[in-house]
Amino acid sequence: RLLRAKTEGPSGDDGYRVGATFGRVPYTCVRVKLPWEVSEETFHDNIEGEALEDKLMGMLTTQLGIDLEDLHWNGDTAAAPGGDHDFLVLNDGWWKQLVAGAHVVDGSAINSGVVSKGHFFAAYKALPNKYLRTGRVVWAMNPATRIAWVESVSNRATGAGDLALLGAEAVTKPLGIPIVDIPSLADGKVVLADPQNFIAVNTWDVRIRKATEGKSAVMNDMRYYSVFLDDDPVIEELDAAVVIDGMTLA
């Protein structure tokens, strides 16, 4: 609370001043890549011809976005690498950071763990009031968890149950707060926070490189592509977020 009374006249300046206080959020970016290769024959033996290259570029960059979302939310440097999820050990994602430092609601202790209004009330109460002033807070969950919430409301023998089946907006916004789908989050995991609190740090621009010349490209009759970037998911203020962990869908 910084506001003070003003006194009229020469004595009005009492020397009171407010300074800006800057916090510090450390980050350590790791470099990642998405390489792929396509034979020259592929571009000749298809109905789209050279137009296929633009479509492939769009598909691969879309996949890059999907993988980055997965890394941002589920990254865990302590996890055992394996299979096509090796990249998840590159960084600690937002979920791990939230469980370690944000407000955590034990979902298993409410309604025997099954998704219910009690989970959302508990999460809402756990968020300090000052962070509700922005009006930007959302519920983040995967689509299966969102549908489980709607199903729990639809099972009620009330008008709200009928509205849930019809997809009424009031029912699909628990406590009046909108839901944002995060497919990468696991079932039963929910976050209540301002999306602007989550930051993906990139210290240099995404680079897309292509090679159609050189010994390897010529001898193998191939085109080589790769996307390079550096990345680190950080959270500006852990106190401004709540997670529901341990909740089940049925």
Side-chain angles (χ1 to χ4, degrees):
R1 292 173 175 152
L2 303 176
L3 196 64
R4 297 293 184 270
K6 177 188 178 298
T7 303
E8 187 177 358
S11 62
D13 185 2
D14 58 3
Y16 174 71
R17 299 291 186 272
V18 175
T21 301
F22 297 98
R24 185 172 182 269
V25 180
Y27 62 85
T28 304
C29 290
V30 296
R31 296 186 178 183
V32 295
K33 65 178 180 179
L34 176 59
W36 71 95
E37 58 187 42
V38 185
S39 69
E40 288 290 347
E41 291 182 2
T42 302
F43 294 103
H44 295 287
D45 298 336
N46 75 88
I47 60 174
E48 296 194 37
E50 288 294 325
L52 178 64
E53 182 176 56
D54 289 338
K55 179 166 289 187
L56 288 174
M57 292 286 283
M59 293 171 65
L60 267 297
T61 51
T62 296
Q63 184 62 44
L64 175 65
I66 293 172
D67 287 350
L68 284 176
E69 178 191 287
D70 197 1
L71 177 61
H72 290 164
W73 281 103
N74 302 313
D76 186 352
T77 55
D84 60 351
H85 289 82
D86 276 352
F87 72 99
L88 290 180
V89 302
L90 292 173
N91 258 324
D92 286 329
W94 288 322
W95 182 260
K96 183 177 181 179
Q97 296 175 47
L98 288 166
V99 171
H103 304 280
V104 180
V105 172
D106 181 7
S108 64
I110 303 172
N111 195 39
S112 300
V114 181
V115 58
S116 69
K117 64 179 182 180
H119 290 97
F120 293 92
F121 274 115
Y124 187 90
K125 292 174 182 177
L127 185 67
N129 288 331
K130 61 183 178 180
Y131 300 119
L132 295 169
R133 291 194 182 114
T134 66
R136 295 192 301 260
V137 295
V138 300
W139 301 105
M141 65 189 78
N142 72 13
T145 305
R146 172 173 52 80
I147 292 300
W149 155 253
V150 174
E151 183 179 13
S152 72
V153 178
S154 69
N155 288 334
R156 301 177 64 189
T158 64
D162 294 334
L163 290 173
L165 291 173
L166 296 173
E169 183 179 359
V171 179
T172 57
K173 296 172 65 175
L175 304 181
I177 298 174
I179 294 175
V180 173
D181 283 340
I182 306 292
S184 295
L185 275 175
D187 291 352
K189 293 182 176 180
V190 178
V191 179
L192 175 62
D194 182 342
Q196 295 187 18
N197 200 17
F198 300 86
I199 303 168
V201 179
N202 307 112
T203 57
W204 40 277
D205 293 335
V206 176
R207 293 180 298 156
I208 301 179
R209 302 194 64 180
K210 169 186 172 181
T212 57
E213 300 296 335
K215 181 179 178 180
S216 180
V218 172
M219 298 304 294
N220 295 303
D221 200 26
M222 301 287 289
R223 297 186 192 183
Y224 299 99
Y225 307 83
S226 192
V227 179
F228 298 96
L229 69 152
D230 68 343
D231 184 75
D232 187 25
V234 299
I235 299 174
E236 186 174 359
E237 181 57 72
L238 284 166
D239 185 49
V242 179
V243 299
I244 305 174
D245 197 14
M247 186 174 69
T248 60
L249 305 189

